[in-house]
Amino acid sequence: MRYGKRWVAAAAVLATLAATGCSGSGGGDGKVTLSYATWSDDQKPAMEAIAKAFEDKHPDIDVQVQVLPWPEYWSTLQVGAAGRTAPDAFWMLADQFPAYAKGNQLLDITDAVKAAGVDLAAYPKAVLDLYDTGGKLFGLPKDFDTNAIWFNKALFDKAGVAYPDDTWTWDDAREAARKLTNPAAGVWGIAAPIDRQGGYYNSIYQAGGKVIGDDGKAAIDSPEAISGLQFWTQMQADGLSPTLKQLSDTEAVQMFMDQKVAMYFSGSFWAQRLYGDQALRPHVGVAPLPKAKQRATMISGILNAGYAGTKHPKELAEFLIFASGRDAAVIQAKSGAVLPAYKDTQQGWLDVMPEFNLKVFVDAVDYAVPLPIAGDAAKWTDLETQYLGPAWEGKQTAADAARAYNTAINEVLAQ
Amino acid sequence: MTTDVASPPTRQRNRSRGGGLLPSPGWGYLMIAPALIGLVALYVWPFLTTFGKSFMDVPAFGPGTFTGVDNYTELLGDETFWQALRNSALYTAILLLGVPVAIVLAALIEQVSRGRAVYRVLFFLPVVTLPVAVSMVWRFIYNGDFGLLNYVLSLLGVPGQYWVADATFTIYAVGVVGIWMSLGINLIILGAGLQSIPRDLYEASSLDGAGRVRQFFRITLPLLSPSVFLVTVLTVISALQMFDLIFVMLRSVNNTALADSKTIVYLFYEKAFVEFDQGYGAAIAIVLLMVIMAATLVQFRLQRRWVFYD
């Protein structure tokens, strides 16, 4: 071994390099660091304020908020979970939840929640139901969103149409859309994109249909569900909405902000953005979604969830409970970004934007239906454009499209 | 491969052994260890896992089950896969049209006596700009209602189109952006190639009465052919890997054209990351690798017919 000494020396150098490379994350002061991943720049200040409030109570824990861009959020989380490098805490959505829960990637906080004495009745039941696994708790609701009609008062005034109110039926909505549409001025009565959460899921339930039936299979081909789809395809056929191609190039919310469409059926989560537009603000009105056979809106919400492979399960559970607790809800409400899930904290959100009649969204909880989720929901919802697009473009009847999509959903559910 | 074609080989022999500075081959390995470890960790290992997964049914999380060649047989019977393959081939063909453009531009820039660097920088900027940012700008340019392109066309009396929402145009619209983005790097390679052509050849030929055009086809093009070959190989490889432009420019729930415009890497992304079907995704990746290898191999075979090494 003539060169033995050199090898040892070199190995030592390498080992030192490796050690220094790693030492950054450990820290010697016994402080625990938790990462908290989100996808919203709008909500970053509120999330940082919540982290700060938590750190004040737990000086030995450091929470770092990370904003991942939406297009990369889920792939980053999935790769992180598979590679054991996922963030400790993160936002979870209902359609992604089943895969993570089934794959044992989420921290079970059932006992911690019980020990902390958290009252689950403080959260909207419909949101809890979205994340129901039959016993175990993998997180607590952070916020919720319901849908309503965002409408442009100025365009209604110009067309001489009465503002929407809680007496409105589908016929009223159609009639108004017809009167509001003015091709010469480049104005449409309504935006009719392919939008499950803000659009056709709501109308399917308003017509008395379901997306997923009680037997756990797709039910989007029932006569009621088909009429729910027709509400939208008819708007397209009658030219009361920008075409699908136009809505692909320019998002519906942007069309509404540009005052090109008079009505946009969508979620409470746009409030902050619409309110932030000074020119638009005085024109914006909110009214409940029109009813058909019954009144209905989708309700959905983000879950504060934790990674099962975390190094600090105890601290993480404490943080998750805090981040969905009352104090955090108050911080969120004041930021105006979203409707907090915790009971009786919503008033704060309404107070930040007094000019908007946002109470409609809170009242909607009474008739809200949880976003339909079944099996590998992310997989079958990804097929909606392919199957429903032709109906929106008038190349196929809503009934035919619904039947084809129904079969496709059932194929995914059977896998 | 890269160095072979890009720069003439320097034939400096290393000093013979026993010099004392580099006595042991062990040192050599130790020195390349960082690169080697990186290569194994970042390329070889992922490749092997991908290859393994392509024979398995892998759920979103947790271990997979061995299913033999099921993924591959399913792939061959999957019409969306063939469609994606055709789209990638078409996109590659479009990008190859950018190579002659780059040659002519490189030759023109070479003629510029002052401010040559400015042109190089201008053409190179898209290369160092984030593809996502580039795509956002082009989305605006292509917008059917408010886009710059349709505005310019309207001035010429040409009716506007929904360039990225109409399946008739999507691949071409994206291809133009792809050409524009790859132009910079191609110009650098071709520019270097042009500068290595001896000046006296041009002087001699002009004494013999050759004009500019004749010089371009008789001197520039043959002597540039190694660089052109390199550019072509690189273009094909990067075109077959195209993903980001489709992702940012076409991905919208309201875009019915997306289904007809997916490239093979986009399909891979969708299967592996949206639908959580990693085994199937891995099979797509392996097939893509084979396609790229075959395309490169064919080009190396064909180069004997047209690439001129002095």
Side-chain angles (χ1 to χ4, degrees), chain A residues 3 6-7 10 71 75 78-79 81 96 99-100 103 105 193-194 244-250 255 260 376 378-379 382 384-385 389 393, chain B residues 23-24 26-27 30 60-61 139 142-146 162 164-166 247 251-256 269-270 272-278:
Chain A
Y3 300 109
R6 282 199 187 114
W7 272 102
S75 50
Q78 192 203 348
V79 171
Q96 299 277 344
Y100 284 82
Q105 298 301 309
I194 299 177
L244 216 49
K245 283 190 173 62
Q246 289 174 307
L247 290 166
S248 170
D249 274 2
T250 312
M255 292 267 191
K260 299 272 181 202
D376 211 340
K379 187 166 179 170
D382 200 49
E384 67 183 343
T385 310
E393 289 184 326
Chain B
S24 150
W27 268 108
L30 199 63
F61 307 102
R139 255 195 94 124
Y142 283 142
N143 187 300
D145 291 326
F146 318 109
Y162 290 93
V164 290
D166 187 334
F247 185 83
R251 191 172 167 80
S252 154
V253 69
N254 292 305
N255 197 348
T256 50
Y269 160 81
E270 218 171 50
F273 291 108
V274 180
E275 299 181 11
F276 286 140
D277 196 348
Q278 295 189 30

Side-chain angles (χ1 to χ4, degrees), chain A residues 11-226:
Chain A
V13 170
L14 271 183
T16 321
L17 285 175
T20 41
C22 298
S23 69
S25 57
D29 52 1
K31 206 164 180 174
V32 169
T33 302
L34 296 175
S35 51
Y36 182 28
T38 81
W39 61 75
S40 168
D41 269 321
D42 291 345
Q43 296 191 42
K44 195 180 179 208
M47 294 306 111
E48 279 174 342
I50 290 169
K52 175 82 178 32
F54 180 74
E55 287 166 3
D56 288 347
K57 286 193 174 172
H58 303 267
D60 53 333
I61 305 177
D62 181 26
V63 179
Q64 285 175 347
V65 177
Q66 304 170 343
V67 178
L68 300 169
W70 169 254
E72 293 154 29
Y73 186 84
W74 297 106
S75 50
T76 309
L77 194 60
Q78 192 203 348
V79 171
R84 323 279 318 145
T85 57
D88 299 298
F90 45 83
W91 292 359
M92 179 51 59
L93 279 182
D95 58 345
Q96 299 277 344
F97 177 75
Y100 284 82
K102 212 170 64 186
N104 299 318
Q105 298 301 309
L106 301 178
L107 183 68
D108 182 354
I109 60 167
T110 320
D111 295 336
V113 167
K114 222 174 265 169
V118 176
D119 179 14
L120 289 180
Y123 301 100
K125 184 172 178 304
V127 179
L128 280 175
D129 285 351
L130 282 174
Y131 299 98
D132 186 23
T133 57
K136 284 184 187 168
L137 267 180
F138 290 112
L140 289 171
K142 166 190 166 302
D143 57 29
F144 73 90
D145 50 73
T146 56
N147 300 285
I149 306 176
W150 291 103
F151 66 93
N152 186 313
K153 292 176 188 168
L155 293 176
F156 270 76
D157 291 342
K158 204 181 276 174
V161 181
Y163 296 162
D165 58 34
D166 59 3
T167 65
W168 260 34
T169 62
W170 282 9
D171 290 334
D172 295 313
R174 268 191 218 110
E175 194 51 37
R178 194 159 288 133
K179 285 183 192 155
L180 288 158
T181 302
N182 181 354
V187 169
W188 291 273
I190 191 168
I194 299 177
D195 177 359
R196 53 183 183 276
Q197 199 176 331
Y200 70 88
Y201 278 9
N202 300 294
S203 51
I204 286 175
Y205 282 83
Q206 285 154 9
K210 281 185 170 159
V211 175
I212 301 292
D214 296 328
D215 58 355
K217 288 190 178 155
I220 209 164
D221 61 348
S222 73
E224 295 84 9
I226 290 170

Side-chain angles (χ1 to χ4, degrees), chain A residues 71, chain B residues 131-137 139 164 243-252 266:
Chain B
V132 175
V134 166
S135 309
M136 295 302 288
V137 172
R139 255 195 94 124
V164 290
F243 163 74
D244 38 18
L245 295 178
I246 294 277
F247 185 83
V248 183
M249 292 174 68
L250 303 189
R251 191 172 167 80
S252 154
Y266 188 89

Side-chain angles (χ1 to χ4, degrees), chain A residues 363-400:
Chain A
D363 294 342
V365 174
D366 293 343
Y367 52 87
V369 183
L371 199 66
I373 302 293
D376 211 340
K379 187 166 179 170
W380 56 260
T381 52
D382 200 49
L383 301 172
E384 67 183 343
T385 310
Q386 186 188 336
Y387 286 98
L388 299 181
W392 254 254
E393 289 184 326
K395 292 176 182 161
Q396 207 179 18
T397 65
D400 286 347

